[in-house]
């Protein structure tokens, strides 16, 4: 199989994870890297390979790339994605897909018009405990999902927000904990529970006074299925404690995952140091499996580098989608649903009322 020529847009923190992930994937070749900082692009090319560019258009014109991975700050995702689609190049974009629904719609329209594959990173969907939950829910092992609870108690130092000029500001980040750290979990909650009908939410900035955006948010959710949900997400617990998603079904049975122990990892600064584990499994007749699942997942965790492994697995799914002309596991429409949900929570807080979702 001829490897797909991949171009990396954004040679920052997450870019380094993607460079390692792409290089570990036989189906891909890191053909080009691009950053507005020429110094960063050159340093990346020297370290990971590929031709260095400082402009997306130049890379699309001269880099002979067939797919791009976009790891720029989220309000800049759409511009690069649309340019790539217009050039007939497949797009895998980091989470969140964008900071606004307008941007998501521009990306979806450009992808559809060009007939390219558009995927959005949500690598925790490939965590084995998460896959196990999804399979149990889809198999009807908890009845229908009736209650989905996402909780994140994490921490970000003030220095995290000053590490790059775009962080912590409405204009250049589009939001705070809801948009950045929670995008993964909002995606998984929607994957487990289905689309949202209505949400009522609030946000606050508890202990990051130098930052404009939310470090804490809560919401109650009614799903289109009739199921209910709650979101409590925060980066204001020092030290960070855990992130979990628990799904309770109409049969009374429950399944759950602790995706992150302590604070969620910071790409390029910290790694995934604790294994993601199922922390709840009351499926009748399977209760005893919880200990086996945990032992299996701990054993695997000791063998892999979880900080890059799941990015590589998602990249392989994306390349498979291109090859097999099928949707990737995490589509542009899935990415849009996350943006729609956090935008609705901000709107609900602003207007002091529940907000309905759905196109
Ligand atoms: N999936 C994950 O676990 C994960 C982890 C970290 C970050 N992310 C996401 O990745 C994105 C980037 O985050 P980061 O922490 O790597 O940020 P970063 O600031 O470290 O890197 C962003 C890079 O993009 C470059 N850039 C800016 N504008 C550009 C343009 N027009 N063309 C080319 N390059 C440009 C910057 O110079 C910088 O090098 C964000 O959307 C973030 O949410 C995802």
């Amino acid at each position: 199989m001829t490897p797909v020529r991949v171009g990396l847009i954004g040679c920052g923190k997450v870019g380094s994870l993607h460079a390692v992930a792409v290089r570990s994937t036989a189906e891909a070749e890191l053909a080009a890297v691009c950053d507005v900082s020429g110094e960063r692009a050159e340093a990346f090319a020297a370290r990971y390979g590929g031709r260095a560019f400082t402009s997306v258009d130049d890379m699309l014109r001269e880099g002979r790339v067939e797919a791009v991975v976009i790891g720029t700050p989220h309000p800049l995702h759409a511009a690069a994605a649309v340019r790539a689609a217009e050039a007939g190049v497949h797009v895998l974009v980091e989470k969140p897909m964008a900071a606004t629904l307008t941007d998501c719609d521009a990306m979806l329209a450009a992808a559809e018009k060009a007939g390219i594959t558009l995927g959005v990173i949500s690598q925790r969907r490939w965590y084995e405990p998460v896959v196990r939950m999804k399979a149990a829910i889809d198999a009807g092992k908890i009845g229908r999902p009736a209650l989905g609870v996402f909780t994140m108690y994490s921490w970000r130092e003030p220095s995290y927000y000053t590490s790059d000029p775009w962080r912590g500001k409405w204009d250049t980040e589009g939001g705070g904990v809801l948009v950045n750290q929670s995008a993964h979990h909002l995606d998984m909650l929607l994957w487990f529970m289905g689309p949202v009908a209505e949400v009522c939410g609030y946000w606050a900035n508890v202990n990051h006074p130098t930052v404009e955006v939310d470090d804490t948010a809560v919401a109650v959710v009614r799903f289109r299925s009739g199921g209910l949900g709650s979101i409590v997400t925060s980066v204001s617990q020092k030290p960070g404690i855990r992130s979990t998603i628990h799904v309770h079904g109409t049969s009374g049975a429950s399944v759950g995952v602790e995706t992150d122990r302590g604070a969620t990892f910071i790409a390029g600064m910290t790694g995934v140091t604790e294994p993601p584990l199922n922390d709840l499994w009351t499926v009748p007749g399977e209760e005893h499996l919880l200990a086996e699942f945990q032992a299996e997942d701990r054993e695997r965790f000791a063998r892999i580098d979880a900080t890059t492994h799941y990015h590589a697995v998602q990249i392989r799914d994306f390349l498979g989608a291109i090859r097999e002309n099928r949707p990737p596991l995490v589509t542009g429409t899935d990415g849009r649903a996350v943006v729609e949900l956090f935008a609705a929570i901000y709107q609900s807080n602003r207007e002091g009322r529940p907000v309905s979702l759905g196109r």
Side-chain angles (χ1 to χ4, degrees):
M1 182 190 314
T2 317
V4 174
R5 290 175 58 84
V6 173
L8 198 57
I9 302 176
C11 300
K13 296 179 194 62
V14 90
S16 62
L17 303 193
H18 281 289
V20 171
V22 168
R23 279 169 54 100
S24 74
T25 303
E27 302 97 304
E29 174 195 346
L30 187 58
V33 298
C34 172
D35 201 288
V36 280
S37 155
E39 209 175 304
R40 279 193 188 186
E42 291 294 346
F44 248 58
R47 181 155 183 203
Y48 301 111
R51 186 172 159 196
F53 291 92
T54 52
S55 126
V56 172
D57 285 336
D58 289 350
M59 187 183 84
L60 292 170
R61 203 170 40 245
E62 298 165 29
R64 294 191 297 116
V65 295
E66 298 159 276
V68 291
V69 177
I70 301 176
T72 58
H74 11 289
L76 306 175
H77 289 175
V82 169
R83 299 299 284 167
E86 285 169 352
V89 166
H90 304 286
V91 174
L92 180 59
V93 62
E94 260 299 347
K95 53 49 62 173
M97 178 172 173
T100 66
L101 277 180
T102 310
D103 276 4
C104 294
D105 288 338
M107 294 160 86
L108 284 163
E112 192 176 328
K113 187 169 175 205
I116 55 105
T117 300
L118 173 62
V120 181
I121 292 285
S122 184
Q123 78 273 12
R124 284 173 177 78
R125 275 208 205 181
W126 278 267
Y127 284 3
E128 288 76 6
V130 171
V131 172
R132 223 176 260 131
M133 274 176 75
K134 175 67 174 162
I137 293 167
D138 286 355
K141 289 185 177 181
I142 63 168
R144 279 179 292 103
L147 182 61
V149 178
F150 156 42
T151 312
M152 176 188 289
Y153 302 118
S154 189
W155 173 247
R156 287 293 180 265
E157 289 291 345
S159 58
Y160 163 82
Y161 293 99
T162 51
S163 64
D164 296 292
W166 60 272
R167 294 186 195 278
K169 303 186 182 93
W170 289 107
D171 276 358
T172 47
E173 184 162 8
V177 65
L178 269 175
V179 166
N180 194 331
Q181 289 78 30
S182 309
H184 300 272
H185 296 81
L186 296 181
D187 174 65
M188 288 184 283
L189 187 67
L190 295 171
W191 198 39
F192 295 144
M193 298 296 296
V196 170
E198 192 170 82
V199 66
C200 184
Y202 299 96
W203 67 267
N205 183 319
V206 172
N207 55 18
H208 292 88
T210 58
V211 168
E212 292 173 6
V213 294
D214 46 306
D215 67 8
T216 300
V218 298
V220 289
V221 178
R222 189 166 54 76
F223 293 92
R224 273 193 225 159
S225 65
L228 302 177
S230 81
I231 294 167
V232 174
T233 184
S234 183
V235 285
S236 54
Q237 290 69 48
K238 184 180 181 179
I241 303 166
R242 66 173 69 88
S243 304
T244 58
I245 302 181
H246 293 162
V247 179
H248 311 273
T250 49
S251 72
S254 305
V255 289
V257 61
E258 181 183 88
T259 55
D260 304 77
R261 169 64 61 95
T264 51
F265 85 101
I266 306 173
M269 295 170 101
T270 65
V272 180
T273 54
E274 297 282 341
L277 297 174
N278 289 115
D279 64 343
L280 179 65
W281 203 271
T282 64
V283 174
E286 293 191 1
E287 297 87 344
H288 65 287
L289 293 179
L290 187 60
E292 286 178 28
F293 293 158
Q294 292 184 353
E296 200 179 295
D297 294 339
R298 284 186 200 286
E299 188 276 326
R300 180 185 314 97
F301 186 77
R303 282 187 283 112
I304 62 171
D305 176 357
T307 311
T308 54
H309 174 78
Y310 296 94
H311 273 91
V313 176
Q314 180 162 7
I315 288 170
R316 282 202 286 280
D317 169 73
F318 178 72
L319 298 174
I322 296 170
R323 230 177 15 249
E324 295 153 22
N325 200 20
R326 60 162 171 85
L329 180 66
V330 190
T331 63
T333 305
D334 294 336
R336 184 190 189 278
V338 169
V339 177
E340 186 183 30
L341 178 53
F342 66 61
I345 295 172
Y346 289 132
Q347 185 186 345
S348 172
N349 182 90
R350 204 165 50 242
E351 298 179 0
R353 63 175 183 89
V355 171
S356 297
L357 283 82
R359 321 173 78 166

